[in-house]
Amino acid sequence: MLVSLRGVAAADRPSSSAAAAGLPRESGDAARPPAHMAALILARGGSKGIPLKNIKLLAGVPLIGWVLRAAVDSGVFQSVWVSTDHDEIEKVAKQFGAQVHRRSSEVSKDSSTSLDAIVEFLRYHDEVDIVGNIQATSPCLHPTDLIRVAKMIREDGFDSVFSVVRRHQFRWSEIKKGVCEVTKPQNLNPAKRPRRQDWDGELYENGSFYFAKRSLIDKGYLQGGKMAYYEMRAEHSVDIDVDIDWPIAEQRVLRFGYFGKEALKEVKLLVCTIDGCLTTGHIYVSEDGKEVLSYDVRDAVGIQLLQERGVEVRLISERNCSPKTLSAMKLGCVAEVGVAAKLPVVEKWRTELNLCWKEVAYLGNEESDVECLKKAGMSAVPADSCPAAQKATNYICKCNGGRGAIREFAEHIFLLMEKVNSAGKKA
């Protein structure tokens, strides 16, 4: 029995041993903890292509946040780490539940390799047996991919596994300038050019992740030993290298990205804070004591579009806004002002409309909005909101409060509702 278990990870043994049948263990067959698998995202601050690319907002979420969400929710890692040399990246990493390894300047140079940074990380973390090096620039990664790869390492005995994508592209030899040669086909016969559906295509590394055992990395390799590839779906294979990739990736992640463990539901109610969201937060006071507020026409259009699609929009404020001023805006929204605690009011509205929290969206900008931002199925904050609010939300607008944030959030809601509806049709 012991001979048949050679080369199998300790975590896999119970399924084929006396212990699995509930029988006493043989002497010396002490239970071992599972091999420590650590997710490691390398994110230095000196990106040359896009400054601070790793925390630039992509569809309202810092780029690195997409892969950290997938890593944490997969549940296969004993620890999730970000290796960085930058304070702002460290703050974002911790916000998404990761631990931070402060990498040295020696492995933060333009010439430093991923392997250099991984080796340094392992030098400080003796407990780690397996490293899952996940690229921050792959925002469409899903937990299911990581779960399957972890099984390949732990149960199937592979020493290294890396991600690939299938492409149907014909390759031709390159001709250097000034050389009198003709190009030649590399992977096809032009006389028998296959149709796409008749050709399996080829596998290419997509750089999304590289898993390797410590024993292999100690030899200076990320790929080697008993190797395997993991084929990702083409729509999930997104890699951001330059600015031109950004808008394409943003549309892709909104359609195919991972948004969390709980399924999205169709939004039926949007609650919006007045000061700092509907308005800029500036108050103009006339000589006779009357206050004047301004708002962006784009936000009024956003509210109207939501209402036309059956979404109830309600306004809330801690301040005693003038009812006449709000009425003059002609937004057609129920409003409650002078609210000391916002959560009970939103809870009351939710109950009145017979909705669950997943059907509620919330746009806030202050610490007083944090509870509601955390509760809502979909939440957002303007770009100029306070740090506490930004930490509590799952979407940070590009627009400031009173400068188009509502319209932007409305568009985001519509895109996610398309995702909900398409998922419903498939089911």
Side-chain angles (χ1 to χ4, degrees):
M1 183 182 292
L2 292 175
V3 173
S4 68
L5 288 172
R6 285 180 185 171
V8 181
D12 303 329
R13 295 185 181 180
S15 62
S16 58
S17 66
L23 300 176
R25 291 180 178 272
E26 295 181 22
S27 176
D29 188 21
R32 296 181 186 176
H36 186 118
M37 183 180 287
L40 179 63
I41 294 92
L42 307 177
R44 70 188 184 95
S47 173
K48 294 298 181 184
I50 307 173
L52 285 179
K53 171 177 65 177
N54 293 308
I55 55 173
K56 182 177 177 180
L57 294 182
L58 179 75
V61 176
L63 178 61
I64 198 172
W66 290 102
V67 293
L68 284 173
R69 182 187 289 163
V72 170
D73 285 358
S74 72
V76 298
F77 299 105
Q78 277 67 43
S79 58
V80 177
W81 294 85
V82 170
S83 169
T84 187
D85 60 339
H86 198 278
D87 291 343
E88 289 303 313
I89 295 177
E90 177 175 354
K91 287 179 185 176
V92 173
K94 289 179 176 177
Q95 178 182 332
F96 280 86
Q99 300 180 71
V100 173
H101 168 77
R102 289 298 296 221
R103 63 181 3 179
S104 69
S105 58
E106 289 301 308
V107 297
S108 300
K109 302 173 184 175
D110 291 342
S111 58
S112 300
T113 66
S114 296
L115 185 60
D116 292 335
I118 293 169
V119 168
E120 182 196 71
F121 170 79
L122 287 176
R123 198 158 59 239
Y124 287 91
H125 297 280
D126 293 335
E127 76 281 5
V128 175
D129 303 300
I130 304 163
V131 173
N133 175 215
I134 302 171
Q135 303 283 51
T137 52
S138 299
C140 284
L141 182 66
H142 281 240
T144 49
D145 296 318
L146 300 174
I147 291 168
R148 289 168 186 155
V149 173
K151 179 182 179 297
M152 294 172 74
I153 294 277
R154 290 188 184 279
E155 297 181 23
D156 301 337
F158 288 103
D159 298 311
S160 59
V161 181
F162 55 94
S163 59
V164 300
V165 65
R166 189 174 299 275
R167 292 179 181 165
H168 294 78
Q169 296 175 327
F170 296 129
R171 293 181 288 109
W172 293 79
S173 61
E174 182 180 357
I175 306 301
K176 302 294 184 183
K177 288 184 179 179
V179 178
C180 295
E181 293 180 1
V182 294
T183 187
K184 295 179 181 178
Q186 299 293 297
N187 63 347
L188 81 152
N189 178 356
K192 297 180 180 179
R193 188 181 180 91
R195 298 182 305 167
R196 180 185 176 91
Q197 59 265 40
D198 296 330
W199 182 43
D200 290 337
E202 296 180 327
L203 296 177
Y204 290 80
E205 284 188 31
N206 68 354
S208 189
F209 55 75
Y210 298 85
F211 279 60
K213 292 181 178 177
R214 185 189 194 106
S215 56
L216 185 65
I217 297 171
D218 286 343
K219 296 175 183 176
Y221 301 102
L222 275 178
Q223 294 165 296
K226 184 180 177 182
M227 272 188 297
Y229 62 78
Y230 175 83
E231 185 177 348
M232 288 180 64
R233 291 167 58 180
E235 59 267 31
H236 291 170
S237 185
V238 177
D239 186 37
I240 302 175
D241 279 328
V242 292
D243 240 337
I244 198 169
D245 296 338
W246 213 265
I248 299 170
E250 197 153 60
Q251 291 303 310
R252 185 81 71 85
V253 79
L254 284 170
R255 186 172 179 188
F256 299 113
Y258 172 70
F259 287 85
K261 289 181 179 179
E262 295 188 35
L264 293 169
K265 294 201 73 172
E266 190 167 355
V267 170
K268 302 289 180 63
L269 169 66
L270 168 64
V271 179
C272 175
T273 297
I274 296 173
D275 296 319
C277 289
L278 174 62
T279 74
T280 61
H282 297 141
I283 300 171
Y284 305 93
V285 182
S286 63
E287 288 183 359
D288 57 358
K290 293 181 179 179
E291 67 175 38
V292 178
L293 301 177
S294 68
Y295 65 95
D296 197 305
V297 172
R298 291 176 296 174
D299 291 326
V301 172
I303 290 172
Q304 182 181 348
L305 290 172
L306 286 162
Q307 291 168 335
E308 288 174 355
R309 298 197 188 192
V311 178
E312 176 85 9
V313 181
R314 297 192 176 186
L315 306 175
I316 193 167
S317 176
E318 291 176 89
R319 196 171 58 83
N320 279 307
C321 306
S322 165
K324 288 185 178 180
T325 303
L326 293 176
S327 177
M329 291 182 176
K330 297 180 179 179
L331 297 173
C333 300
V334 171
E336 189 148 342
V337 300
V339 177
K342 295 177 181 176
L343 184 60
V345 173
V346 180
E347 183 69 61
K348 179 187 72 174
W349 286 343
R350 181 188 70 79
T351 305
E352 283 176 3
L353 297 170
N354 194 28
L355 303 177
C356 67
W357 273 104
K358 283 293 174 184
E359 296 170 299
V360 177
Y362 192 93
L363 180 66
N365 69 311
E366 278 296 344
E367 290 189 18
S368 58
D369 296 305
V370 167
E371 285 184 307
C372 294
L373 289 167
K374 288 181 177 179
K375 278 269 192 182
M378 205 177 293
S379 66
V381 297
D384 56 350
S385 59
C386 75
Q390 291 191 7
K391 189 174 181 180
T393 191
N394 47 35
Y395 185 86
I396 302 174
C397 296
K398 295 175 185 175
C399 297
N400 287 344
R403 293 287 183 265
I406 296 177
R407 175 61 186 270
E408 181 184 339
F409 189 35
E411 294 294 345
H412 181 67
I413 290 172
F414 298 149
L415 282 168
L416 293 188
M417 288 310 96
E418 286 180 20
K419 187 181 180 80
V420 170
N421 293 331
S422 63
K425 289 176 183 177
K426 288 178 183 178

